[in-house]
Amino acid sequence: MSVKLSAHRCGTDQYPELTMEAARHSLSLGADCVEMDIRFTKDRVPVISHDKDGTKLFGNEKNVCDLNLEEFLKLRFLDMPEYRPHTLEEVLSGDIAPILFHIKEGGEQLDTILAYIRRYDYEDKVIMGVQEVEDVLRVKNFNPTIKVLAFMQREDLTEEFLDAGADIIRLWEAWVNEAEVKRIQERGREIWVMAGSPQERTVGYTGEAAVKEWKKMGVDGIIINEIGKTRALLQEV
């Protein structure tokens, strides 16, 4: 069985995270999709940003939600100032696909994102990654054919997301075991593993042994940074 690879934050081993350049690079290396996080600016424009504020990446302590669009687009990456962050519309018009969108701010704001996806004919090119059970239902009511991934905040929420209709369950590396993989797949759903640990500040990275073990368990996908290296490793198993 082939394990799908999603480039965590578009892959960060060559270009700044969440840039279209990083996305294209990871797709060229064999990523099955690229992960992008969505937040909203002060003037309610959906933009690509994982962090709540710009401190780490841009040296700007303001929260994304406190910046208007003009201010957001003036941000530059500290490590590579020739690159800047993007709006959702820029990404959708840039013909980058497939994309796993991680929705950081759901509810009614999810409707705005879904409207953009329809406008740019991306409904069959995205996986909507949501953090709340209610947002699974919101996506499925909009279009039941759009795949939904559950970015569960707690391990004990699996059943709620499955009952709501999530197509894919994302488990943190520490939550993965063979019995849970089998149980979720018996419900007809996919299981993807998020490499690394937020507690250890290793999100997106893991050891070779873990990747090989996940393939043996039969996981359907892995969200990870280094696509080329991981693809080659999986071919060895």
Side-chain angles (χ1 to χ4, degrees):
M1 182 189 75
S2 177
V3 179
K4 299 169 186 170
L5 294 181
S6 177
H8 176 241
R9 301 188 199 175
C10 293
T12 60
D13 55 327
Q14 186 73 29
Y15 296 96
E17 66 177 56
L18 297 173
T19 57
M20 292 194 287
E21 291 81 4
R24 293 190 179 101
H25 178 66
S26 291
L27 290 168
S28 74
L29 292 176
D32 294 282
C33 65
V34 293
E35 182 213 19
M36 292 187 173
D37 305 271
I38 301 177
R39 293 187 181 275
F40 283 80
T41 60
K42 185 177 181 179
D43 39 357
R44 314 315 302 159
V45 178
V47 294
I48 308 302
S49 177
H50 172 274
D51 293 354
K52 184 178 181 180
D53 61 64
T55 304
K56 182 179 74 174
L57 296 178
F58 309 111
N60 187 317
E61 295 181 358
K62 282 191 174 182
N63 290 333
V64 172
C65 64
D66 292 327
L67 297 170
N68 62 36
L69 179 60
E70 182 180 0
E71 291 170 328
F72 179 81
L73 292 176
K74 286 181 179 178
L75 296 175
R76 293 295 182 270
F77 286 91
L78 291 174
D79 293 342
M80 295 185 179
E82 64 269 34
Y83 295 100
R84 65 166 177 81
H86 306 294
T87 65
L88 172 61
E89 190 164 20
E90 283 181 300
V91 169
L92 296 176
S93 62
D95 198 30
I96 292 170
I99 302 175
L100 164 59
F101 282 125
H102 188 164
I103 311 303
K104 294 292 190 178
E105 302 166 25
E108 292 183 1
Q109 294 179 119
L110 180 53
D111 295 337
T112 299
I113 297 170
L114 290 169
Y116 272 99
I117 287 170
R118 176 160 289 174
R119 184 187 310 165
Y120 283 91
D121 195 25
Y122 256 70
E123 289 171 71
D124 61 347
K125 302 175 186 176
V126 298
I127 300 171
M128 300 299 289
V130 301
Q131 298 181 163
E132 303 296 335
V133 172
E134 293 77 11
D135 287 338
V136 178
L137 300 172
R138 191 176 287 268
V139 174
K140 291 299 185 181
N141 287 335
F142 179 83
N143 181 344
T145 70
I146 295 178
K147 285 193 173 184
V148 178
L149 178 146
F151 276 111
M152 302 186 307
Q153 302 302 292
R154 301 199 320 268
E155 188 177 2
D156 62 356
L157 294 174
T158 301
E159 286 303 315
E160 291 185 39
F161 275 96
L162 288 173
D163 291 343
D167 303 282
I168 305 167
I169 298 295
R170 185 289 317 262
L171 296 181
W172 283 105
E173 181 170 332
W175 299 352
V176 182
N177 61 73
E178 193 166 0
E180 185 70 350
V181 171
K182 182 178 180 181
R183 187 180 73 83
I184 292 170
Q185 291 176 337
E186 285 178 346
R187 292 281 301 268
R189 315 301 170 82
E190 294 185 16
I191 184 163
W192 290 20
V193 180
M194 178 71 245
S197 164
Q199 291 76 24
E200 298 177 7
R201 299 181 181 273
T202 58
V203 176
Y205 297 93
T206 193
E208 294 184 2
V211 172
K212 291 180 179 180
E213 183 64 22
W214 296 337
K215 183 174 183 180
K216 290 177 182 177
M217 286 184 189
V219 304
D220 300 284
I222 301 172
I223 306 172
I224 199 163
N225 283 53
E226 298 173 317
I227 295 299
K229 177 182 176 181
T230 307
R231 179 64 70 197
L233 183 63
L234 288 169
Q235 292 173 350
E236 297 176 5
V237 182

